[in-house]
Amino acid sequence: MSTATATSTFTLTETTQRVLKNFAQISTSLLLREGTEQKTVNASKSVLAIAQLPTPWPQETAVYQLPELLSNLSAYANPVLEFEEKNFIIRGTNSPSHVVYPYSDPSVVMAAPNKTFDVSNPVAQFTLPEKAVAEIKKLSAINNLPTIVIESNSDKGTIVVKPHDEKNPASRVYSYPVHADKGSITTLTGGTFAFKFKREHFDLLMDGGYTVSIGNWPYAYFQHVTEPVSYFVVQASNK
């Protein structure tokens, strides 16, 4: 861990707090690196989230229980973090109190991989509006549909997002026809293509609209329309 020569102060913007809350749903531990780009990965390494914070994080710090840290921050209005050699100091703008919260040992935190992933030459790229993302999450949960498939057909000009239950084909099936939203598709090639992933991984995406890219890669790429966050979601096996 790098150590600042003097105490650094970091004011958490609303955007940064939303990103960290979402990261806490993906993994309870987090290695925050110096700079604006932050990453986290879930335990099965099936979902990688990448965010660009509006202000750079001052120094590398490991957090073993991110939900707990966020709960401490939420106790204050407009929380401010001070970075000491071994601890965060959490303060509120209008409070004389503070919380001393120690950094964790980086060895107990699962860090996200420091690598890039190819998203060139997608066979399908389209927009899922916020209402569609919310609807897919809600109805796949209501109907207990554990798998989501993105089916594209360039010959017909169609893309459909279809949560379903592979083990029970006769069960309920929900479909969202992306092509019904005029102008939502920007790329569609490659004939018939299907990409399958787990609903539990889709549920980890921050609420909102997304530009979605799928290709001849083992993952789908979700870029949030309004928030500085994106996700790589690994394709589910056929087992």
Side-chain angles (χ1 to χ4, degrees):
M1 179 189 302
S2 62
T3 304
T5 56
T7 300
S8 301
T9 301
F10 186 83
T11 301
L12 285 94
T13 65
E14 291 184 3
T15 297
T16 296
Q17 291 183 68
R18 285 195 297 271
V19 166
L20 292 179
K21 287 176 182 178
N22 176 249
F23 276 20
Q25 295 178 314
I26 297 170
S27 175
T28 56
S29 66
L30 178 64
L31 180 63
L32 287 151
R33 302 184 186 277
E34 184 176 350
T36 55
E37 184 174 271
Q38 304 300 332
K39 300 179 181 180
T40 192
V41 65
N42 68 337
S44 65
K45 298 183 179 180
S46 300
V47 178
L48 171 69
I50 304 174
Q52 299 293 334
L53 301 185
T55 52
W57 194 259
Q59 64 184 66
E60 184 175 296
T61 44
V63 181
Y64 182 66
Q65 284 293 339
L66 182 58
E68 183 181 75
L69 174 63
L70 294 174
S71 293
N72 277 278
L73 291 168
S74 68
Y76 289 106
N78 304 315
V80 174
L81 283 175
E82 293 177 4
F83 292 75
E84 295 191 334
E85 183 177 356
K86 297 182 179 181
N87 307 292
F88 291 117
I89 305 297
I90 304 171
R91 301 184 187 276
T93 303
N94 299 313
S95 174
S97 67
H98 68 274
V99 177
V100 179
Y101 195 96
Y103 306 136
S104 302
D105 188 327
S107 66
V108 302
V109 173
M110 184 174 67
N114 190 19
K115 59 184 292 188
T116 58
F117 296 87
D118 182 29
V119 291
S120 61
N121 302 314
V123 298
Q125 187 174 75
F126 57 93
T127 300
L128 271 183
E130 182 176 0
K131 63 179 181 179
V133 172
E135 192 176 277
I136 292 166
K137 287 183 178 181
K138 184 174 184 177
L139 287 171
S140 59
I142 288 172
N143 293 294
N144 194 27
L145 304 174
T147 303
I148 297 177
V149 175
I150 299 173
E151 297 178 343
S152 67
N153 188 318
S154 60
D155 297 328
K156 295 181 178 180
T158 60
I159 298 177
V160 177
V161 181
K162 184 181 294 184
H164 67 288
D165 186 347
E166 294 178 295
K167 295 181 179 179
N168 186 9
S171 67
R172 303 163 188 83
V173 176
Y174 161 81
S175 298
Y176 185 86
V178 174
H179 53 274
D181 292 328
K182 186 177 180 181
S184 62
I185 300 175
T186 56
T187 302
L188 185 55
T189 61
T192 301
F193 192 91
F195 185 93
K196 177 179 67 175
F197 55 98
K198 294 181 179 180
R199 185 195 85 206
E200 64 191 72
H201 297 154
F202 187 79
D203 287 344
L204 294 176
L205 303 183
M206 185 185 293
D207 290 343
Y210 285 87
T211 298
V212 185
S213 301
I214 57 175
N216 295 307
W217 330 304
Y219 44 78
Y221 180 58
F222 293 82
Q223 174 70 55
H224 203 289
V225 173
T226 58
E227 299 282 4
V229 62
S230 58
Y231 306 82
F232 291 91
V233 179
V234 173
Q235 187 167 19
S237 67
N238 292 319
K239 296 180 180 179

